[in-house]
Amino acid sequence: MHLTQVRRVPGRTRSSLTEIPTAGALHGVGGTLAFKRDQLRFLDDGIRRHGDIFRFRPLGIPMVLVNHPDYIRHILVDNSEGYDKDAALFRIVRPVLRKGLIANADMELWRRQRRMMAPHFTPRTVAAFARNMTDETEQMLDRWERRPAPGGTGGTLDVTDEIGQLALRIVNRSLFSADVSASAQAFERAFAEANSILGAFFRFPFPPLDVPIPRHRRLRRAIDEMDTFVSGFIRKRLSEEVSADDATDLLTLLLTSVDEEDGKGMDLEQLHHEVLNICIGAYETTTNTLSWAFYLLARHPEAEAKLHAEVDEVLGGRVPAFEDLPKLAYTRMVAEETLRIYSPAYQFMRRAREEDAIDGYRMPAGSNVLINSYFLHRHPDFWDDPERFVPERFAPEEVAKRPKHAYIPFGSGHRICIGKHFALTELVLVLATVARTHRLVLPQGAPEVHPEALITLHPKGGVRLRPESRR
Ligand code: HEM
């Protein structure tokens, strides 16, 4: 049976709270090895045995999985001050992300940075970037058209790689006025390496990252590669005259703005970390979502036909514009359903700063609370036949029937994704721009693509499809 409301009972004595069920079979050496082998299967097993909340201890690290909308709302919204990001998962990704917004556990610094950056991510600001999104997509489609005749790959494209470069070009052109065409592939390769090494390290954090084994040396090189990518266009901008008056992009704003409270600007190191966080936050999440969306559409011709019908009717052959978004309702549902099934930022964590009570359970201080939307978005109490791709689940009347926190692809509360509007705008505009002229077809006999649980949820081996003109 599930709850409709979390009972937080601060007045109750500690002893009257129930201990969170321990996933006994998932403890100890056996549990650690099972978690290391296949994290998703391990958690699936825990949920089947213990339900919506249970604790486990891979390699002695105290973790609690919560898998109910009410628990998640409690942690991310109602009692968000009781939880921070000084949690195991963020400690692991911090060598890459450092002091940027994503993994920052220093609340004072985080507030200051978020305050300065938020104005560049409002729906109104994002509207100005719509043209970059469709222009870059058109250029990608042109490149596809001009490709040499199909060779050994039967005319298929590595869609994940293509969309990865597109996503990097869009975010860098929009926020930093930077043309990254030449260096996008190097960034992609470095990110993939870091994602895979850190994904494995999360499941088995040994030996520590500062021990120079070959894998950790490769991680160091990948971080250096991403740093070079970012410092390239920061250095270029620094060599130009910049003043707050001509603050047309986020980079100029970050270089020139001062905080309203302390009157100080941002040092170059912090600026570098924020730019890198934006590139990382925007790149792989959008790439994975669009790769999965094209893959799902190729496997579901009825959904693809509805998408094409909407795009043809709304656009009448034009390239989409920001103003078309409200009319592209089915396209948006395709994006939202893809984000449900293959939520790219599928896991995140909080640390309980002090002891808390959730639904009469005692949440011990220091617990690493794991929120995993791969399972939340398949919770049988909120999603019928959850493995099926059904964009209609996101029709307004269906959304109204579900608790808000049954669906959290962008997180929730004060640490909600700063790029949410940017991402949703980009997803819908790229889908509609491609669908206007092209369809992506599954080659005959193509194997099924499975998700790979790294730090993000990645389509294992990438998505390969064959572009076909619709004209
Ligand atoms: C489909 C696309 C995207 C998804 C699914 C996604 C998902 C998420 C999630 C779940 C979080 C919250 C993590 C937590 O609470 O611990 C987050 C945070 C963040 N995302 Fe995104 N994101 C996407 C696109 C973007 C884009 C386009 C940008 C930048 C342009 C971006 C930048 C960030 C940043 C900087 C944070 C940290 C926010 C903070 O703590 O203040 N993301 N994202």
Side-chain angles (χ1 to χ4, degrees), residues 79-115:
N79 187 27
S80 60
E81 293 300 317
Y83 294 83
D84 64 23
K85 284 207 176 185
D86 195 8
L89 178 63
F90 289 113
R91 282 199 291 272
I92 284 168
V93 294
R94 211 164 282 136
V96 178
L97 298 165
R98 288 160 279 180
K99 291 189 289 171
L101 283 185
I102 299 176
N104 197 326
D106 173 346
M107 288 308 282
E108 210 178 310
L109 177 60
W110 169 78
R111 275 202 189 88
R112 179 179 193 271
Q113 293 300 117
R114 178 106 185 188
R115 210 167 39 230

Side-chain angles (χ1 to χ4, degrees), residues 450-469:
H450 294 284
E452 190 176 16
L454 306 177
I455 290 294
T456 55
L457 197 69
H458 188 79
K460 194 168 186 176
V463 168
R464 293 200 75 92
L465 298 169
R466 191 177 63 249
E468 275 183 12
S469 174

Side-chain angles (χ1 to χ4, degrees), residues 151-407:
T153 53
T156 61
L157 275 174
D158 183 337
V159 172
T160 310
D161 180 44
E162 292 284 320
I163 299 288
Q165 294 184 46
L166 173 69
L168 270 180
R169 286 198 179 114
I170 290 177
V171 73
N172 284 291
R173 181 167 154 190
S174 303
L175 296 173
F176 310 128
S177 313
D179 178 359
V180 297
S181 317
S183 46
Q185 255 176 336
F187 181 90
E188 277 193 285
R189 270 196 305 273
F191 180 86
E193 178 90 304
N195 196 9
S196 146
I197 294 171
L198 292 177
F201 188 74
F202 172 61
R203 297 195 298 275
F204 194 74
F206 190 79
L209 282 177
D210 49 12
V211 176
I213 58 171
R215 195 177 55 221
H216 296 169
R217 280 200 290 267
R218 287 203 323 271
L219 175 66
R220 189 63 263 159
R221 277 198 298 276
I223 297 172
D224 289 348
E225 190 78 57
M226 288 187 274
D227 281 344
T228 305
F229 174 83
V230 165
S231 51
F233 56 85
I234 295 186
R235 214 172 313 114
K236 181 163 178 294
R237 181 62 59 88
L238 284 173
S239 67
E240 299 158 359
E241 281 281 300
V242 279
S243 83
D245 297 339
D246 47 34
T248 51
D249 67 10
L250 181 63
L251 188 51
T252 312
L253 189 95
L254 295 180
L255 273 168
T256 54
S257 52
V258 288
D259 184 52
E260 59 200 34
E261 283 180 18
D262 61 17
K264 290 193 189 139
M266 193 180 301
D267 63 33
L268 278 182
E269 189 187 47
Q270 184 71 34
L271 172 80
H272 182 106
H273 296 167
E274 295 303 1
V275 172
L276 182 67
N277 274 240
I278 300 273
C279 292
I280 288 177
Y283 153 67
E284 152 99 354
T285 48
T286 318
T287 304
N288 287 348
T289 311
L290 286 167
S291 303
W292 286 118
F294 288 122
Y295 175 74
L296 288 165
L297 287 166
R299 291 178 66 100
H300 295 85
E302 66 306 336
E304 188 194 44
K306 283 187 193 170
L307 173 78
H308 288 162
E310 175 176 274
V311 165
D312 293 349
E313 191 193 321
V314 171
L315 304 177
R318 302 181 277 111
V319 176
F322 186 79
E323 294 66 38
D324 294 313
L325 289 177
K327 287 173 268 160
L328 292 168
Y330 190 79
T331 315
R332 166 128 175 177
M333 288 187 223
V334 167
E336 289 178 315
E337 174 69 340
T338 306
L339 284 167
R340 180 187 70 82
I341 301 184
Y342 298 119
S343 220
Y346 72 107
Q347 60 177 358
F348 43 93
M349 248 190 199
R350 294 293 185 268
R351 181 194 62 135
R353 297 174 65 199
E354 51 197 41
E355 184 174 301
D356 191 18
I358 292 190
D359 187 33
Y361 288 115
R362 187 178 75 84
M363 175 70 79
S367 302
N368 292 282
V369 185
L370 180 61
I371 296 173
N372 187 308
S373 53
Y374 184 87
F375 294 107
L376 181 72
H377 293 174
R378 285 167 170 73
H379 197 304
D381 286 5
F382 308 103
W383 308 97
D384 283 337
D385 204 356
E387 293 300 336
R388 268 186 63 213
F389 176 64
V390 185
E392 288 77 0
R393 295 179 203 272
F394 288 90
E397 61 281 10
E398 294 300 317
V399 172
K401 291 181 196 159
R402 286 188 297 266
K404 185 171 163 220
H405 286 84
Y407 180 67

